[in-house]
Short mmCIF file of all heavy atoms in Angstrom, two decimals:
data_model
loop_
_atom_site.label_atom_id
_atom_site.label_comp_id
_atom_site.label_asym_id
_atom_site.label_seq_id
_atom_site.Cartn_x
_atom_site.Cartn_y
_atom_site.Cartn_z
N TYR D 30 1.31 18.58 5.27
CA TYR D 30 2.39 19.20 5.98
C TYR D 30 1.72 20.14 7.01
O TYR D 30 0.62 20.61 6.91
CB TYR D 30 3.31 20.01 5.09
CG TYR D 30 2.59 21.18 4.46
CD1 TYR D 30 2.58 22.42 5.03
CD2 TYR D 30 1.89 21.01 3.22
CE1 TYR D 30 1.91 23.49 4.43
CE2 TYR D 30 1.25 22.09 2.65
CZ TYR D 30 1.26 23.36 3.28
OH TYR D 30 0.59 24.40 2.78
N SER D 109 6.24 37.72 1.64
CA SER D 109 4.83 37.97 1.56
C SER D 109 4.28 37.21 0.37
O SER D 109 3.11 36.69 0.49
CB SER D 109 4.58 39.46 1.41
OG SER D 109 4.97 40.17 2.55
N ALA D 157 20.07 29.46 11.43
CA ALA D 157 21.43 29.08 11.85
C ALA D 157 21.58 28.47 13.19
O ALA D 157 22.49 27.72 13.46
CB ALA D 157 22.35 30.34 11.70
N VAL D 161 15.93 22.29 15.92
CA VAL D 161 15.89 20.88 15.40
C VAL D 161 17.23 20.33 15.30
O VAL D 161 17.50 19.17 15.66
CB VAL D 161 15.09 20.88 14.07
CG1 VAL D 161 15.16 19.45 13.45
CG2 VAL D 161 13.65 21.31 14.21
N ASP D 219 39.26 54.30 6.30
CA ASP D 219 40.09 54.23 7.48
C ASP D 219 39.44 53.44 8.60
O ASP D 219 39.74 53.66 9.80
CB ASP D 219 40.35 55.72 7.99
CG ASP D 219 39.01 56.44 8.25
OD1 ASP D 219 37.93 55.92 7.93
OD2 ASP D 219 39.08 57.60 8.67
N MET D 264 22.92 51.22 17.65
CA MET D 264 23.82 51.15 16.58
C MET D 264 23.53 52.22 15.48
O MET D 264 24.44 52.85 14.90
CB MET D 264 23.77 49.78 15.92
CG MET D 264 24.91 49.48 14.93
SD MET D 264 24.92 47.71 14.49
CE MET D 264 26.33 47.72 13.38
N ALA D 273 27.71 56.41 2.54
CA ALA D 273 26.98 55.38 1.93
C ALA D 273 26.98 55.63 0.39
O ALA D 273 27.42 56.69 -0.03
CB ALA D 273 25.48 55.34 2.42
N THR D 303 26.30 16.86 8.65
CA THR D 303 25.12 16.04 8.90
C THR D 303 23.89 16.83 8.62
O THR D 303 23.51 17.75 9.34
CB THR D 303 25.15 15.48 10.36
OG1 THR D 303 26.38 14.91 10.65
CG2 THR D 303 23.99 14.55 10.53
N TYR D 359 18.49 13.10 -0.76
CA TYR D 359 18.41 14.63 -0.73
C TYR D 359 19.78 15.17 -0.45
O TYR D 359 20.26 16.06 -1.15
CB TYR D 359 17.42 15.01 0.33
CG TYR D 359 17.71 16.36 0.99
CD1 TYR D 359 17.69 17.52 0.27
CD2 TYR D 359 18.03 16.41 2.37
CE1 TYR D 359 17.95 18.74 0.84
CE2 TYR D 359 18.30 17.65 2.96
CZ TYR D 359 18.33 18.79 2.23
OH TYR D 359 18.55 19.99 2.84
N GLN D 360 20.45 14.66 0.63
CA GLN D 360 21.78 15.26 0.93
C GLN D 360 22.77 14.92 -0.12
O GLN D 360 23.59 15.75 -0.50
CB GLN D 360 22.27 14.74 2.29
CG GLN D 360 23.73 15.23 2.59
CD GLN D 360 24.15 15.06 4.05
OE1 GLN D 360 23.33 14.81 4.94
NE2 GLN D 360 25.44 15.20 4.28
N TYR D 441 6.27 9.72 -10.84
CA TYR D 441 5.32 10.27 -11.83
C TYR D 441 6.13 10.81 -13.01
O TYR D 441 7.11 11.52 -12.89
CB TYR D 441 4.49 11.39 -11.27
CG TYR D 441 3.70 10.95 -10.02
CD1 TYR D 441 4.03 11.53 -8.76
CD2 TYR D 441 2.62 10.12 -10.15
CE1 TYR D 441 3.26 11.20 -7.65
CE2 TYR D 441 1.90 9.75 -8.97
CZ TYR D 441 2.27 10.28 -7.79
OH TYR D 441 1.58 9.94 -6.67
N PRO D 442 5.70 10.52 -14.25
CA PRO D 442 6.31 11.15 -15.39
C PRO D 442 5.90 12.63 -15.44
O PRO D 442 4.82 12.97 -15.02
CB PRO D 442 5.73 10.37 -16.55
CG PRO D 442 4.43 9.86 -16.09
CD PRO D 442 4.60 9.60 -14.62
#
Side-chain angles (χ1 to χ4, degrees):
Y30 67 90
S109 295
V161 173
D219 56 356
M264 192 171 182
T303 307
Y359 150 67
Q360 176 165 345
Y441 303 112

